[in-house]
Amino acid sequence: MPAICTVCSKGAILKRPKTGNALCKECFFHAFEEEIHHTIVHAELFKRNETIAIGASGGKDSTVLAYVLKLLNDRHDYGVNLVLLSVDEGITGYRDDSLETVKRNQEQYGLPLKIISYEELYGWTMDAIVKQIGLKNNCTFCGVFRRQALDRGALMLKVDKIATGHNADDIAETVIMNVLRGDIGRLRRCTAITTGTDGALPRCKPFKYTYEKEIVMYAYFKKLDYFSTECIYSPNAYRGFARAYIKDVEKIRPSAIIDIIHSGESLSVKKDIRLPVQGVCERCGYISSNAVCKACVMLEGLNKGLPRLGIGKTHKERRKITT
Ligand code: SF4
Ligand code: ZN
């Protein structure tokens, strides 16, 4: 007997990964979108008249995020201005192609787009960095540079906030990685839905409770245009292990993803815990809790042909650079 949608009793075409409910396409869309709306309202992610930069990579998460935020902004009248912000790391055969997808999304969704590149900000592309340092630690450089590039792009656009496509699986992975590393400080911070409210540009994660499988399903049934190739420099074995682990436990018990996030939340930072004092980097003027920011330390290492300067024992390395 064909399955019946548990909401409207029409024919179901899918089983919802998060709940196991049989649903028709329309009821799945509605459940998916309204859960995100609930997250946005409940966590007070946006205020009327704010401008929100959507960190757009052309991948499934940020493409669905742009589509859903535009839809919810119209449906529920959030009154926010949405813009797309992309970072071009300079990875031939990967980012150049995915940016073509973002450019099409810009037209499809009618949202303005800004692309900011490592090359213009730092004078280095990831292709050049990998040529110099090889395929080890490349993601450490890339992560530090991307974080700052997004913030700088957002400042240029004068936005109030950045929204990223991090989903529930990503956050559960980060919780597991921090548990395995015994990194209690990060463990306490990594489940926050909004970060950077203490001076830096706030960032928020409207997909905090949204399952990756449902994002893929939504993109598929909505026929959204996204780019699905992995980065050619992606080794990240440690995250890969956490990812495989999450997928395994999800198979046995789908609620495990949300439960891991809730475990992390129960340890989250209470308001009275002291956070590092924010200042500005004396080199680039960008927000930093040290005299010289991490991006500048790494950049100096690259420019001096000593890329290891930027990695590892940063206190010692920073002293070497600043004195
Ligand atoms: Fe950058 Fe590594 Fe991600 Fe590739 S996989 S985009 S190198 S962080
Ligand atoms: Zn700096």
Side-chain angles (χ1 to χ4, degrees):
M1 200 178 67
I4 299 287
C5 172
T6 47
V7 177
C8 74
S9 309
K10 280 191 214 141
I13 58 155
L14 58 89
K15 199 168 139 200
R16 202 177 162 194
K18 195 172 183 175
T19 57
N21 287 347
L23 290 177
C24 73
K25 205 155 74 174
E26 289 309 316
C27 287
F28 168 65
F29 290 158
H30 192 260
F32 180 90
E33 292 155 3
E34 290 307 304
E35 266 182 31
I36 295 160
H37 170 60
H38 175 82
T39 302
I40 291 170
V41 172
H42 185 76
E44 298 176 22
L45 296 190
F46 308 139
K47 290 197 190 80
R48 187 163 280 281
N49 297 322
E50 275 182 342
T51 299
I52 314 291
I54 302 169
S57 67
K60 61 175 180 1
D61 299 305
S62 61
T63 301
V64 174
L65 183 66
Y67 178 88
V68 170
L69 286 188
K70 181 175 163 53
L71 181 142
L72 293 175
N73 191 28
D74 294 343
R75 182 187 290 165
H76 295 290
D77 189 27
Y78 295 158
V80 294
N81 306 307
L82 299 170
V83 296
L84 299 173
L85 173 59
S86 295
V87 176
D88 181 359
E89 297 95 342
I91 303 175
T92 312
Y94 167 65
R95 189 54 85 214
D96 43 358
D97 293 338
S98 65
L99 286 174
E100 289 308 311
T101 314
V102 182
K103 286 179 196 160
R104 288 198 301 277
N105 292 158
Q106 168 193 20
E107 285 169 23
Q108 289 153 354
Y109 308 157
L111 299 174
L113 163 69
K114 170 153 185 79
I115 301 177
I116 188 156
S117 73
Y118 284 5
E119 178 134 53
E120 66 185 278
L121 285 182
Y122 310 114
W124 284 83
T125 61
M126 272 315 287
D127 285 339
I129 293 175
V130 168
K131 216 175 262 169
Q132 176 167 140
I133 69 169
L135 281 173
K136 217 179 151 209
N137 297 317
N138 54 303
C139 292
T140 309
F141 281 87
C142 194
V144 169
F145 287 163
R146 181 180 313 102
R147 193 175 175 76
Q148 199 190 75
L150 258 185
D151 281 347
R152 288 211 201 179
L155 287 175
M156 287 178 199
L157 289 170
K158 298 194 171 46
V159 307
D160 300 289
K161 216 167 261 172
I162 301 173
T164 60
H166 291 100
N167 60 44
D169 299 50
D170 296 329
I171 297 169
E173 265 164 46
T174 309
V175 170
I176 294 295
M177 283 164 68
N178 288 330
V179 168
L180 295 179
R181 286 190 184 116
D183 191 335
I184 305 299
R186 283 214 170 85
L187 185 57
R188 288 184 142 162
R189 277 177 273 134
C190 72
T191 53
I193 191 161
T194 301
T195 52
T197 45
D198 52 332
L201 204 62
R203 284 172 179 242
C204 66
K205 304 182 184 98
F207 283 172
K208 179 178 173 188
Y209 300 110
T210 307
Y211 279 32
E212 185 166 272
K213 276 189 180 163
E214 300 204 348
I215 293 172
V216 174
M217 228 175 213
Y218 187 88
Y220 172 79
F221 285 118
K222 284 273 182 186
K223 299 192 173 58
L224 299 185
D225 181 6
Y226 69 90
F227 182 80
S228 54
T229 309
E230 277 248 348
C231 172
I232 49 170
Y233 301 139
S234 159
N236 222 329
Y238 200 54
R239 184 169 281 276
F241 165 75
R243 175 164 296 237
Y245 171 74
I246 300 282
K247 296 282 180 263
D248 281 350
V249 289
E250 184 194 11
K251 270 183 223 143
I252 303 163
R253 208 166 60 96
S255 69
I257 293 180
I258 291 289
D259 293 339
I260 291 169
I261 296 177
H262 286 156
S263 305
E265 281 172 339
S266 66
L267 291 169
S268 65
V269 186
K270 302 283 176 304
K271 287 216 165 57
D272 53 350
I273 287 181
R274 222 163 46 90
L275 291 163
V277 186
Q278 292 281 1
V280 288
C281 167
E282 60 194 36
R283 295 264 169 97
C284 70
Y286 185 71
I287 304 147
S288 167
S289 45
N290 292 291
V292 176
C293 78
K294 180 102 174 148
C296 283
V297 175
M298 290 186 143
L299 206 51
E300 173 139 358
L302 284 170
N303 290 334
K304 284 188 171 162
L306 300 164
R308 293 205 56 80
L309 272 187
I311 321 160
K313 303 267 178 289
T314 42
H315 290 300
K316 219 160 70 196
E317 304 307 350
R318 273 206 183 89
R319 227 173 291 134
K320 226 182 273 172
I321 284 181
T322 48
T323 49

